[in-house]
Amino acid sequence: MSVQQTSAASTRRMTLNMGPQHPSTHGVLRILLELDGETILSAKPDIGFLHTGIEKQAEALGWQQVVTLTDRMDYLANLSNNLAYCLPVEKMLGLEIPPKAQWMRVLLTEICRINSHLVWLGTHALDLGAMTVFFYTFREREEILRLFEMFSGQRLMTSYIRIGGLALEPPLGWEKAVGAFLKGLPSKIDEYEDLLKTNPIFVNRTRGVGKVPLEQLLALGVTGPMIRAAGMKWDIRKSEPYSSYEKFDFDIPVETEGDVYARFLVRMREMRESLKITLQAMEGMPEGPIKADAPKVVLPDREKMKTQMEALIYHFKIVTEGFSVPAGEAYVPVESPRGEIGFYVVSDGTSKPLRVFMRTPSFGNLQSLPSMFEGSLISDSIASLGSMDFVLGDVDR
Amino acid sequence: MNFYIVTLIKTGLIAVVLLTFCAYLVWIERKVLAHIQLRQGPYRVGPHGLLQPLSDLIKLVTKEGVIPANVNMFYYLLAPFLSVALALISIAVIPFGPVVEVFGVQTQMGLTDLDIGVLVVLAMSSLGVYGMVIGGWASNSKYSLMGSLRSSAQMVSYELPMAMAIVAPLLLVNTLSFREIAAAQEGFYLGFLPKWTVFAGPFPQAFSFLLFMIAAFAETNRVPFDLPEAETELVAGFHTEYSSTMFAAFFTAEYASITTICCVASLLFLGGWHPLWPAEYGSDFVPVVLFLGVALILFFHAAQSVRARMWDRFTFPVFGLLMLGLAGLFLVPLLKPLLIPLFWFAAKTGLLIFIFIWIRGTLPRFRYDQLMRFAWLTLLPAAVVNLLVTGLAVALTTN
């Protein structure tokens, strides 16, 4: 009897293997869906297809070299990741970062947040069938990438934020370039909102979809815009300010619905807040050095190296064997575009980290996938998937 | 001349023109979408990508047709050709212009004039579902199956409001033959307002037109109703497992049905080949002015194409001359009765097709259940009410 029942049920059900090659799994996520018609009964995400071994690789590289790996985890939050790695190392080293470097970091991570949200918006809208938004957001993203290239010489793998400050002096005329971009952005954000915010099809597709209660989200370790859309006013930039965020005036956008539409609203408003922060950073940019005064960690100026014996020795030592970090451990959370990112760094006093553990927001946010999918339709699952805004490289490391 | 020879010539002509147009419709769609989306679109194959359709065709035909294991071979092969055949058939009952005399032969523009032409189009579009259902089922793939299930449910649901929307203007014109429908819309109110059914008394059919267009989007599986082939959900829906010529067949079917349905809309609602305003006020010169304008723009660009690509120095003047020649053709008295109706028909149909593409560049996609709810709870009642009001208006005025 029971055997018959299960077989009858199993003919009604269908197991669908969504991904790893699928247009809207944003990379190589595989989800095992059990379907009854178009309703999802259960969903099992299967990660690991993009495993790069970055966490392990970090143990084989010098302290400064690890910065380059952090870009490669998440190509959309490159500068946030740089910062999240540098902060705990600087904490262990006890470095004092000069104000100009700190403000520059704020400026660039906020532009990076805008970049990430633009890509999220474009791909999310594309998933829902609105093709054109994708191209509009990528137009602005292109400008941001040009800015990144201007600063660091690289469009994606910037590695601009280094232990002890910044990699390079900001380029000549950066104020003008950044200012021009920031000036044009508000009208562009208005344009996206015109296309989507009150579009009845978009609102119907997103409102009430992918709802997960806040308690459950917190239990699963979800952070960032996703919990802010569920009604929790939590932002590390406010609660544990780093890199002088306490000196900036901005709001934390919060929505209470906790659905896909609320996440859309939160991220749209976050772009405007980021804009506000970048404008403040532009206005009040302090003068001074961009690197900490720590000869053992920071490479000396070229000029000094050629004239001072000591500088030459430090240069030689840093280049050949790197610098060592006093034994200990540190963790400094950072609000990345996706949520809390933090590098738990352990040092045994040598020139290589003993362990670099990454607490990545994408991994945490992905945990909410089954609870979002179950009971929803396939179309809704695509909307939910897009609203999670994960980067698979960040999940798998 | 022999009826059979004339028919044969017309069949060949229409088949060639329709298939070429379908191929170029893809180019037009890509270009329009590209310009909506701040891109250039096809630009490499030929001047402004004009040879892109040809290159696509060569690519699709010469590709290996992969047939996956475990497909139901007979139905798998049948589906694309069923689709494309049914989509192409309906063009036979569409007239493109009035009865004309060419080289001393009097003939109608269009293949045939069935007195149940409207029903034939509806029947063919209903049968078109089979191509998708069979294709999705025979592919033996889960994505295809879901795509075909969605499409069958969607097309069956949207056929009802579509038929209702068609019936309302039919009450005004009182015939099922497309030629007579167009003929009934000839003339002008007060000397300037065309007697198209969208404007016609006793009850203008503008609302029916809107309903018909919405249903037409769903019938042809276009955004925002493109759920059967929702790329981001079901990969490519019912034709996920098809490649090569069979994929091209599905593709052609889609564009042929868009063309047909836009022809039907312009015949039923927009007066077919009748001009927007009377010839006394110079409507005959609209194509001349239009093509002259295009020619001037092309010459203007030719005159200053310093930064342009190499072939632009050649193509701009050549296309300009071509447009100039076209403008001249519309002035030849002998060709006037042939070309001017054709122009108006093509202009209306082209505008509707442009709207199809424009919407694709603008709107997101519906969700499956919302789509069905929209069909049954919004569109169908609206169509029924519209039909009743039209019927009442017709009944009150004819007595």
Side-chain angles (χ1 to χ4, degrees):
Chain A
M1 184 66 191
S2 63
V3 174
Q4 268 183 343
Q5 268 180 346
T6 50
S7 70
S10 62
T11 51
R12 271 184 65 79
R13 288 176 186 183
M14 178 162 89
T15 310
L16 184 68
N17 184 16
M18 193 178 189
Q21 309 294 338
H22 187 278
S24 50
T25 50
H26 296 268
V28 280
L29 174 67
R30 174 166 171 247
I31 310 167
L32 275 167
L33 298 176
E34 203 173 325
L35 300 172
D36 177 11
E38 291 232 357
T39 314
I40 297 168
L41 297 174
S42 74
K44 274 186 217 145
D46 179 9
I47 60 170
F49 287 93
L50 205 62
H51 185 70
T52 47
I54 281 179
E55 250 185 54
K56 185 72 190 163
Q57 221 179 330
E59 293 166 19
L61 295 176
W63 287 100
Q64 193 72 276
Q65 289 170 312
V66 175
V67 174
T68 56
L69 291 179
T70 60
D71 295 320
R72 283 151 181 82
M73 283 164 55
D74 181 349
Y75 64 105
L76 292 175
N78 39 20
L79 289 150
S80 305
N81 288 8
N82 291 167
L83 186 62
Y85 168 72
C86 291
L87 287 175
V89 180
E90 282 160 3
K91 195 175 167 189
M92 282 196 287
L93 284 163
L95 294 185
E96 188 72 38
I97 304 301
K100 185 175 181 186
Q102 290 201 14
W103 284 58
M104 214 67 200
R105 285 173 172 191
V106 168
L107 175 89
L108 285 165
T109 44
E110 289 309 319
I111 293 180
C112 175
R113 189 185 312 277
I114 296 172
N115 175 25
S116 172
H117 282 0
L118 282 175
V119 173
W120 156 79
L121 178 66
T123 51
H124 184 43
L126 187 68
D127 286 349
L128 296 175
M131 270 198 281
T132 305
V133 181
F134 177 78
F135 291 96
Y136 287 178
T137 56
F138 268 59
R139 167 186 61 188
E140 273 69 70
R141 184 186 182 228
E142 184 61 31
E143 286 180 39
I144 292 180
L145 292 183
R146 286 212 185 106
L147 290 180
F148 285 172
E149 192 180 3
M150 192 175 171
F151 276 94
S152 67
Q154 282 278 343
R155 286 157 61 85
L156 292 173
M157 308 303 161
T158 49
S159 300
Y160 187 65
I161 297 172
R162 298 277 171 87
I163 297 166
L166 302 174
L168 300 160
E169 197 68 51
L172 284 177
W174 69 269
E175 292 102 335
K176 213 177 149 193
V178 175
F181 168 71
L182 295 179
K183 201 169 163 234
L185 194 65
S187 67
K188 306 284 170 56
I189 299 177
D190 292 343
E191 200 179 330
Y192 314 141
E193 287 195 341
D194 281 349
L195 277 167
L196 294 174
K197 199 173 177 180
T198 52
N199 184 325
I201 301 178
F202 180 78
V203 175
N204 277 336
R205 282 295 301 276
T206 52
R207 192 166 273 167
V209 170
K211 231 173 174 171
V212 181
L214 181 63
E215 298 75 51
Q216 203 177 341
L217 286 178
L218 289 174
L220 290 165
V222 177
T223 48
M226 283 183 67
I227 56 164
R228 287 199 282 277
M232 183 155 175
K233 199 166 182 173
W234 175 260
D235 190 317
I236 296 160
R237 291 176 292 175
K238 283 274 189 204
S239 57
E240 289 176 58
Y242 52 87
S243 201
S244 43
Y245 261 110
E246 68 279 1
K247 289 175 188 149
F248 292 90
D249 170 40
F250 60 97
D251 298 326
I252 308 170
V254 177
E255 290 287 329
T256 50
E257 288 303 309
D259 55 6
V260 176
Y261 189 64
R263 286 169 212 148
F264 164 79
L265 292 178
V266 163
R267 290 205 179 94
M268 291 309 275
R269 276 169 59 203
E270 265 181 27
M271 277 203 259
R272 292 186 196 275
E273 293 302 321
S274 292
L275 190 73
K276 223 160 93 183
I277 300 172
T278 36
L279 285 173
Q280 288 171 38
M282 289 270 288
E283 265 170 38
M285 181 64 68
E287 287 302 313
I290 53 148
K291 285 173 183 169
D293 182 26
K296 282 188 178 173
V297 176
V298 178
L299 278 177
D301 286 341
R302 210 73 195 158
E303 206 46 49
K304 268 189 193 165
M305 195 192 91
K306 284 173 184 166
T307 51
Q308 294 175 10
M309 189 63 200
E310 231 168 89
L312 183 65
I313 292 170
Y314 280 128
H315 184 271
F316 180 75
K317 288 216 23 144
I318 293 169
V319 169
T320 50
E321 64 186 38
F323 52 84
S324 50
V325 173
E329 51 186 55
Y331 176 84
V332 180
V334 163
E335 186 74 26
S336 98
R338 272 165 265 294
E340 177 183 334
I341 185 165
F343 286 64
Y344 173 65
V345 184
V346 185
S347 169
D348 56 355
T350 60
S351 61
K352 285 173 187 171
L354 182 69
R355 176 85 172 95
V356 180
F357 171 76
M358 294 133 187
R359 187 260 173 252
T360 55
S362 297
F363 183 78
N365 293 355
L366 195 63
Q367 303 311 313
S368 62
L369 186 140
S371 39
M372 246 182 234
F373 272 34
E374 269 151 37
S376 70
L377 297 168
I378 296 180
S379 311
D380 287 345
S381 76
I382 300 298
S384 312
L385 208 62
S387 76
M388 273 184 253
D389 186 25
F390 52 80
V391 167
L392 260 291
D394 206 25
V395 175
D396 292 344
R397 276 107 71 199
Chain B
M1 209 194 285
N2 194 324
F3 166 76
Y4 294 103
I5 297 175
V6 174
T7 311
L8 214 59
I9 293 172
K10 281 199 294 190
T11 312
L13 206 64
I14 287 172
V16 167
V17 168
L18 179 66
L19 287 175
T20 317
F21 181 71
C22 285
Y24 272 89
L25 190 52
V26 180
W27 178 84
I28 292 168
E29 171 156 37
R30 287 174 68 178
K31 272 289 185 196
V32 172
L33 273 184
H35 285 278
I36 290 173
Q37 297 165 346
L38 320 158
R39 298 181 285 127
Q40 288 291 329
Y43 213 95
R44 296 274 162 188
V45 193
H48 291 264
L50 271 173
L51 297 179
Q52 186 71 41
L54 190 71
S55 112
D56 284 348
L57 182 77
I58 293 172
K59 180 195 77 180
L60 284 170
V61 171
T62 53
K63 252 190 178 174
E64 183 192 357
V66 180
I67 299 176
N70 302 324
V71 299
N72 190 321
M73 192 64 79
F74 175 69
Y75 292 111
Y76 180 80
L77 295 176
L78 175 71
F81 294 99
L82 198 63
S83 251
V84 74
L86 288 168
L88 292 175
I89 281 174
S90 354
I91 204 78
V93 295
I94 307 270
F96 307 104
V99 177
V100 287
E101 215 178 278
V102 189
F103 307 122
V105 187
Q106 201 170 26
T107 182
Q108 51 191 3
M109 292 168 73
L111 267 184
T112 173
D113 178 30
L114 287 182
D115 48 6
I116 50 159
V118 178
L119 292 184
V120 170
V121 169
L122 279 179
M124 288 305 152
S125 82
S126 307
L127 281 175
V129 187
Y130 282 103
M132 297 182 184
V133 174
I134 292 173
W137 179 78
S139 295
N140 197 16
S141 148
K142 287 165 184 172
Y143 287 116
S144 301
L145 182 67
M146 278 197 286
S148 70
L149 280 177
R150 280 182 178 191
S151 76
S152 48
Q154 173 181 332
M155 290 176 85
V156 168
S157 314
Y158 275 84
E159 223 133 68
L160 269 160
M162 188 175 190
M164 293 277 186
I166 288 180
V167 170
L170 290 183
L171 286 176
L172 301 186
V173 295
N174 230 340
T175 168
L176 283 172
S177 145
F178 277 116
R179 184 162 299 282
E180 284 166 37
I181 290 170
Q185 299 178 57
E186 196 175 2
F188 298 90
Y189 292 115
L190 310 170
F192 71 93
L193 189 68
K195 277 185 177 168
W196 303 352
T197 45
V198 270
F199 302 123
F203 184 66
Q205 292 301 309
F207 189 59
S208 305
F209 180 54
L210 186 69
L211 292 173
F212 178 82
M213 285 310 282
I214 293 172
F217 276 96
E219 276 292 303
T220 49
N221 295 325
R222 296 281 298 183
V223 172
F225 305 105
D226 65 336
L227 302 175
E229 39 201 285
E231 188 180 298
T232 46
E233 295 161 25
L234 301 181
V235 192
F238 63 90
H239 58 60
T240 306
E241 303 294 341
Y242 282 93
S243 52
S244 179
T245 326
M246 290 180 286
F247 173 75
F250 276 123
F251 221 61
T252 316
E254 183 180 331
Y255 285 94
S257 46
I258 292 171
T259 314
T260 315
I261 218 139
C262 287
C263 288
V264 171
S266 52
L267 277 168
L268 270 177
F269 296 97
L270 303 179
W273 52 84
H274 297 303
L276 187 55
W277 67 86
E280 300 95 78
Y281 302 131
S283 71
D284 285 1
F285 294 100
V286 171
V288 183
V289 171
L290 208 68
F291 285 115
L292 265 180
V294 175
L296 280 180
I297 291 169
L298 286 171
F299 285 136
F300 174 73
H301 281 295
Q304 54 171 358
S305 66
V306 187
R307 290 178 304 143
R309 298 172 64 109
M310 195 181 60
W311 53 45
D312 281 347
R313 243 163 274 158
F314 170 72
T315 49
F316 273 128
V318 167
F319 279 102
L321 283 176
L322 210 69
M323 291 295 150
L324 212 61
L326 269 176
L329 274 185
F330 280 93
L331 290 172
V332 179
L334 194 72
L335 292 173
K336 253 186 163 179
L338 179 76
L339 286 181
I340 283 169
L342 202 59
F343 166 79
W344 282 106
F345 187 77
K348 287 166 192 172
T349 311
L351 188 71
L352 293 179
I353 290 175
F354 176 76
I355 291 173
F356 266 72
I357 302 171
W358 186 9
I359 298 270
R360 183 171 174 204
T362 314
L363 289 183
R365 183 181 300 128
F366 271 103
R367 199 173 69 198
Y368 180 64
D369 58 324
Q370 291 165 351
L371 176 98
M372 300 306 266
R373 205 174 304 137
F374 181 67
W376 291 101
L377 297 182
T378 313
L379 212 55
L380 188 63
V384 170
V385 169
N386 175 58
L387 180 61
L388 288 176
V389 172
T390 311
L392 194 69
V394 171
L396 288 178
T397 48
T398 43
N399 282 341

